[in-house]
């Protein structure tokens, strides 16, 4: 056992990244290579948070054990509130309580991709579902896989252009997801033993909104995310303290080829993860007593 003082010293300057994607969803690298990138970046821990799947977690655990990087099992859910909101389930300890629902969400992603492909065909882009599935490589299908099929046709230079011209909200091939209510998404994460963290709220992370979500069981909020302005970070950080919400954050890395973001770029201190650990221990103690 190390003393608390020694833990604090060794934790000084230690960083983690609590939001990352692999080929299990729309990232460009397999989970083991994401962990390798995290190790090269000197991270102590990382959360794998693929969209609607935990499929990359076992592989991440094996790589993490080999490389000395702690893996936090996670998932990113799409939910409906006033518009689309994303919810991270971090520290998932009972994946079996989640899996059948995740399978439903992945099936809805496939049906939606079929509708997007149909729209694109009507717009004169000969994208095929086979092509999209190939880009998805068996993982949870997302619009980035459709974007890769459009790029392969030479109809967009990069993912951003494919979203700007066709796939983004309000664009000609935009198709809504079937949303889960945010309240139900939070409950689902709790059933699976995790903490429910509002992902990248940005300007929507107001006092009123965070207070309301706190009231329906939200445990934490992403304070640091590449999409956040300095003002977002300051406001959401203050509100998290005010409401007793756990702070979280990460790079939302999708692989080096999927944008300019770099792994670990949000400099999330290890102490944020340690606070999440303490929260989970206290919650488990309360549940044992109850
Ligand atoms: P989906 O889960 O199918 O709705 O696709 C959303 C995913 O596409 C996000 O998780 C990001 O990885 C990516 N994405 C969202 N908006 C954009 C954008 N404007 N440009 C490029 N990629 C985006
Ligand atoms: Mn994504
Ligand atoms: Mn997201
Ligand atoms: Mn994400």
């Amino acid at each position: 056992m190390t003393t608390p003082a020694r833990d604090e010293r060794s934790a000084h300057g230690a960083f983690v990244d609590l939001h990352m994607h692999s080929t299990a969803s729309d990232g460009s690298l397999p989970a083991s290579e994401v962990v390798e990138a995290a190790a090269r970046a000197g991270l102590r821990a990382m959360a794998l948070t693929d969209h609607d799947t935990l499929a990359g977690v076992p592989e991440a655990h094996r790589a993490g054990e080999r490389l000395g990087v702690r893996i936090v099992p996670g998932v990113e859910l799409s939910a409906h509130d006033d518009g689309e909101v994303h919810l991270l389930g971090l520290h998932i300890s009972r994946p079996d309580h989640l899996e059948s629902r995740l399978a439903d969400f992945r099936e809805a992603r496939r049906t939606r991709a079929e509708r997007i492909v149909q729209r694109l065909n009507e717009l004169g882009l000969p994208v095929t579902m086979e092509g999209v599935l190939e880009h998805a490589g068996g993982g949870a299908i997302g619009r980035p896989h459709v974007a890769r099929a459009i790029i392969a046709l030479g109809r967009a230079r990069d993912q951003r252009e494919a979203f700007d011209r066709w796939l983004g909200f309000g664009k000609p091939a935009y198709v809504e997801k079937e949303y889960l209510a945010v309240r139900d998404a939070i409950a689902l994460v709790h059933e699976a033993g995790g903490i429910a963290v509002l992902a990248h709220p940005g300007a929507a992370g107001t006092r009123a909104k965070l207070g309301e979500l706190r009231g329906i069981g939200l445990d934490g909020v992403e304070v640091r995310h590449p999409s956040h302005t300095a003002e977002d970070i300051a406001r959401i950080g203050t509100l998290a303290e005010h409401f007793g919400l756990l702070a979280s954050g990460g790079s939302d890395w999708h692989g080096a080829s999927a944008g300019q973001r770099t792994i670990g770029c949000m400099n999330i201190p290890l102490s944020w993860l340690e606070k999440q650990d303490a929260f989970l221990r206290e919650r488990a103690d309360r549940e044992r007593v109850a």
Side-chain angles (χ1 to χ4, degrees):
M1 280 294 284
T2 49
T3 64
R6 174 138 174 243
D7 281 343
E8 264 165 47
R9 252 202 318 279
S10 63
H12 181 75
F15 296 102
V16 304
D17 191 326
L18 301 177
H19 190 156
M20 311 234 264
H21 296 271
S22 74
T23 50
S25 66
D26 59 4
S28 62
L29 295 176
S32 58
E33 292 179 35
V34 176
V35 180
E36 283 164 16
R40 275 197 302 277
L43 297 176
R44 292 286 193 88
M46 59 159 271
L48 189 68
T49 54
D50 276 305
H51 301 281
D52 296 334
T53 184
L54 293 158
V57 169
E59 179 182 322
H61 272 308
R62 286 192 294 274
E65 225 159 86
R66 179 164 53 82
L67 298 164
V69 178
R70 175 180 162 195
I71 306 299
V72 174
V75 67
E76 182 169 14
L77 302 175
S78 302
H80 184 80
D81 190 34
D82 296 327
E84 180 171 342
V85 296
H86 290 179
L87 189 81
L88 297 177
L90 297 179
H91 308 272
I92 298 295
S93 55
R94 299 190 287 265
D96 45 311
H97 286 60
L98 199 54
E99 191 40 50
S100 81
R101 296 303 304 281
L102 295 182
D104 291 343
F105 302 151
R106 293 195 295 271
E107 182 52 33
R109 284 178 166 277
R110 171 193 285 266
T111 314
R112 175 186 184 229
E114 281 166 1
R115 292 178 59 204
I116 295 174
V117 165
Q118 198 181 332
R119 290 259 186 106
L120 289 168
N121 292 163
E122 286 158 13
L123 291 161
L125 276 74
V127 172
T128 64
M129 196 58 197
E130 291 69 37
V132 171
L133 289 172
E134 211 165 288
H135 286 288
I141 303 164
R143 284 178 288 166
H145 303 119
V146 182
R148 289 172 208 170
I150 295 172
I151 295 164
L153 277 179
R155 300 295 292 267
R157 278 185 307 268
D158 54 22
Q159 187 170 316
R160 172 175 295 227
E161 191 184 334
F163 271 76
D164 285 350
R165 292 179 67 180
W166 288 291
L167 303 173
F169 180 75
K171 301 298 156 121
Y174 178 77
V175 177
E176 279 225 344
K177 268 202 206 99
E178 272 174 53
Y179 294 118
L180 175 72
V182 69
R183 176 191 296 274
D184 296 335
I186 292 169
L188 202 54
V189 168
H190 287 161
E191 281 165 36
I195 61 170
V197 173
L198 184 65
H200 49 71
T206 60
R207 173 182 289 263
K209 179 51 68 185
L210 294 178
E212 178 195 324
L213 294 177
R214 180 81 191 89
I216 58 170
L218 188 75
D219 303 302
V221 60
E222 280 196 310
V223 175
R224 294 190 197 161
H225 183 273
S227 68
H228 284 178
T229 64
E231 197 273 329
D232 288 331
I233 293 172
R235 169 177 29 82
I236 297 167
T238 305
L239 289 171
E241 261 181 49
H242 173 73
F243 287 117
L245 288 164
L246 293 162
S248 197
S251 62
D252 204 355
W253 202 59
H254 284 67
S257 60
Q260 279 89 45
R261 289 172 188 175
T262 54
I263 195 165
C265 64
M266 292 291 101
N267 294 325
I268 308 302
L270 178 61
S271 62
W272 288 20
L273 176 58
E274 290 169 340
K275 283 195 181 132
Q276 296 180 6
D277 291 333
F279 172 89
L280 282 163
R281 279 195 300 272
E282 282 159 26
R283 192 173 74 184
D285 288 345
R286 277 199 308 275
E287 279 166 8
R288 250 194 302 279
V289 172

